Amino acid sequence: MKAILSSLITLGICLTPINPILTLQPATAQTEDLSQQIEQLQEQAIQQATQGKPFESIEKFKQLLTIARQQQDRELEAFSFLGLGLNYDNIGRPQEALKEYEQALVIYREIKDRSGEATTLNNIGEVYRKIGKPNQALDYYQQALPIFEEVGNRSGEATTLNNIGLVYNNIGKPNQALEYYQQALPISREVGDRSGEATTLNNIGAVYASIGKPNQALDYYQQALPISREVGDRSGEATTLNNIGLVYRQIGKPNQALDYYQQALPISREVGNRSGEGVTLNNIGAVYRDTDRPVEAIKYLEESVTITLEMRRGLKREDRKAFLKQEEGTSIALIEILIEQNQPEKAFEWANLSTTFELADYNRLIGAGVANPEIQKEIDEWNQKSEQLNLLSQRLQEEFSIENIPGVGTQKAIS
């Protein structure tokens, strides 16, 4: 009886199974029973991960890890670390994901499993992309790509091309992003990777949306959505629903946008995709803000920022600033609405929690006249420590005003 270990590689926010990398040949009835147990656990773990049941999947991968160590099976051990990392990444715990991936990488290199090594390099790159470190992400993707080409893993090659495109789109280079997506798409189709095809179609749509071509964007999203549904990729479905909402918002149809966001949100929650949930909450909040419904806007933006802070707490201290910088638009939009609604105490609290000094309009906050004496005392102490307050105030007005910060208060695509 064979036991198959299918490595998992992250493609955007989707999961794509990679070709089998190990076959166990049982010698006795006892080892055959163990082999069957391992195979069953593998299948359950992968199925639960792809169906949006990360916590159940984590338990299965932990069971596999225990067996791997008992049997001194290094390849099964690496696979278990890889699966744990993938699940931790999906539930918004990037530091734990990196820890698991790094353990997998050491073992794959030790046993000279090139496909496993490339898969892990790609997945590490994906974590760095999500936490706002594009250069590190590119470095890992560019290590993974030639290995996939070397071993003839076409699905892994397409995945990594797609992910390099994501980085270029994130750093404002849409033309380079499109080049990589258009290399990835025919490969995914060639190898029959429907989930990868849907993800790349979604990402091409996001590029067209970002360069002001909503009709082209909608066309690609509407190709992606039925494929995600066909293959049961709930996370990918939520992503595309969110992005269709963005297009309707872009063309001035907020009610239709809200309808798609509200379809996306429960799916992201169902599958435990905290990052996708946070993005969609932000987008719903932005629609309510723009349609003059500040109470609802505050509610959704606060929920979105809460998820960002939750994810930030799981990062190393040196990684937190880059991550927060990437996500600060939602926080600043929330602070602005709270100030407009004469809630300076709450604005001050969120500013301290979720922004840096230079990016919060503290002058307006101080001028609002905080009623709570303890908070006012904190503001006064901060004010006394800022010897260059007037100079900084002018700088805020000229360089860091709410209106001029790229991405502030805008809605977000998910790639």
Side-chain angles (χ1 to χ4, degrees):
M1 178 71 69
K2 293 183 179 180
I4 299 175
L5 301 181
S6 299
S7 298
L8 296 176
I9 182 168
T10 54
L11 171 62
I13 63 165
C14 297
L15 311 178
T16 304
I18 296 302
N19 294 330
I21 57 174
L22 177 66
T23 299
L24 301 179
Q25 297 293 343
T28 68
Q30 183 179 3
T31 58
E32 183 172 348
D33 289 342
L34 178 61
S35 184
Q36 290 175 343
Q37 180 186 355
I38 291 170
E39 184 174 4
Q40 184 178 38
L41 284 170
Q42 291 165 356
E43 291 174 355
Q44 291 173 346
I46 294 170
Q47 186 178 54
Q48 288 166 345
T50 56
Q51 290 180 347
K53 297 179 180 178
F55 296 103
E56 294 93 331
S57 181
I58 285 169
E59 288 306 310
K60 295 296 188 304
F61 278 116
K62 284 182 177 178
Q63 291 177 50
L64 285 167
L65 182 59
T66 298
I67 293 170
R69 288 172 167 168
Q70 289 172 346
Q71 300 297 312
Q72 298 183 342
D73 184 336
R74 296 291 276 165
E75 194 148 14
L76 179 57
E77 185 178 0
F79 170 73
S80 303
F81 284 131
L82 189 62
L84 288 168
L86 183 143
N87 280 297
Y88 285 129
D89 184 23
N90 286 340
I91 62 175
R93 290 157 66 175
Q95 206 60 53
E96 291 174 72
L98 284 174
K99 179 182 175 183
E100 304 294 344
Y101 286 149
E102 285 162 1
Q103 293 181 83
L105 184 61
V106 169
I107 298 173
Y108 279 130
R109 284 174 167 165
E110 173 191 317
I111 63 178
K112 302 189 187 313
D113 181 337
R114 296 287 277 165
S115 186
E117 178 184 354
T119 295
T120 309
L121 287 166
N122 173 86
N123 291 5
I124 293 173
E126 183 64 6
V127 175
Y128 280 117
R129 183 188 70 81
K130 289 179 180 178
I131 65 174
K133 293 197 162 186
N135 291 333
Q136 290 93 322
L138 270 179
D139 178 60
Y140 280 96
Y141 292 147
Q142 289 169 342
Q143 291 180 63
L145 185 59
I147 300 176
F148 280 129
E149 292 171 345
E150 171 195 323
V151 300
N153 188 330
R154 296 286 278 162
S155 183
E157 182 184 347
T159 294
T160 308
L161 288 166
N162 175 84
N163 291 351
I164 293 172
L166 285 176
V167 174
Y168 281 116
N169 196 43
N170 290 346
I171 63 176
K173 296 183 176 181
N175 291 331
Q176 290 94 319
L178 273 178
E179 289 177 12
Y180 280 95
Y181 293 149
Q182 288 166 347
Q183 291 179 62
L185 186 60
I187 299 175
S188 292
R189 287 172 168 164
E190 171 194 322
V191 299
D193 180 0
R194 296 286 278 163
S195 182
E197 179 184 355
T199 299
T200 306
L201 287 166
N202 172 81
N203 292 347
I204 293 172
V207 171
Y208 282 118
S210 72
I211 61 177
K213 295 185 175 182
N215 291 332
Q216 289 95 319
L218 201 57
D219 176 61
Y220 279 96
Y221 292 148
Q222 289 173 338
Q223 292 179 62
L225 185 60
I227 299 174
S228 293
R229 287 172 168 164
E230 171 195 323
V231 299
D233 182 357
R234 297 285 279 161
S235 188
E237 179 183 353
T239 294
T240 306
L241 287 166
N242 175 87
N243 292 355
I244 292 173
L246 282 175
V247 173
Y248 281 114
R249 169 64 179 78
Q250 188 177 359
I251 61 177
K253 295 184 176 181
N255 291 332
Q256 289 94 321
L258 201 57
D259 177 61
Y260 279 95
Y261 295 148
Q262 289 172 337
Q263 291 180 63
L265 184 60
I267 299 175
S268 291
R269 286 172 169 164
E270 172 195 322
V271 302
N273 184 344
R274 295 292 276 166
S275 178
E277 179 185 353
V279 167
T280 305
L281 286 165
N282 168 83
N283 293 350
I284 293 172
V287 170
Y288 282 131
R289 177 204 58 194
D290 293 345
T291 54
D292 198 25
R293 297 171 66 179
V295 174
E296 292 94 333
I298 289 169
K299 174 182 180 293
Y300 283 95
L301 292 174
E302 284 182 334
E303 289 183 33
S304 180
V305 175
T306 297
I307 290 174
T308 297
L309 295 175
E310 173 191 308
M311 294 175 67
R312 183 186 66 170
R313 280 193 292 272
L315 294 172
K316 289 181 181 176
R317 189 171 298 276
E318 61 267 27
D319 293 334
R320 292 177 183 175
K321 186 174 181 180
F323 176 70
L324 195 61
K325 175 83 173 171
Q326 177 176 269
E327 303 296 326
E328 70 200 0
T330 305
S331 302
I332 297 171
L334 172 61
I335 293 163
E336 176 75 359
I337 295 175
L338 289 168
I339 292 170
E340 290 173 354
Q341 295 300 305
N342 196 26
Q343 299 183 48
E345 289 92 348
K346 286 185 72 176
F348 180 74
E349 290 169 6
W350 282 112
N352 275 335
L353 284 169
S354 58
T355 67
T356 61
F357 171 81
E358 290 81 5
L359 292 174
D361 193 349
Y362 283 105
N363 278 340
R364 294 180 60 195
L365 191 58
I366 292 170
V370 175
N372 186 315
E374 293 183 5
I375 293 179
Q376 185 63 57
K377 181 181 177 182
E378 291 182 38
I379 295 175
D380 291 339
E381 288 175 355
W382 165 81
N383 193 14
Q384 291 168 8
K385 293 175 184 177
S386 300
E387 297 178 358
Q388 299 179 338
L389 177 62
N390 291 332
L391 190 62
L392 185 53
S393 171
Q394 182 179 354
R395 180 181 165 198
L396 284 168
Q397 292 295 322
E398 293 174 355
E399 299 181 23
F400 295 103
S401 68
I402 297 297
E403 292 78 12
N404 292 333
I405 300 173
V408 170
T410 62
Q411 300 181 92
K412 305 175 186 177
I414 309 176
S415 299

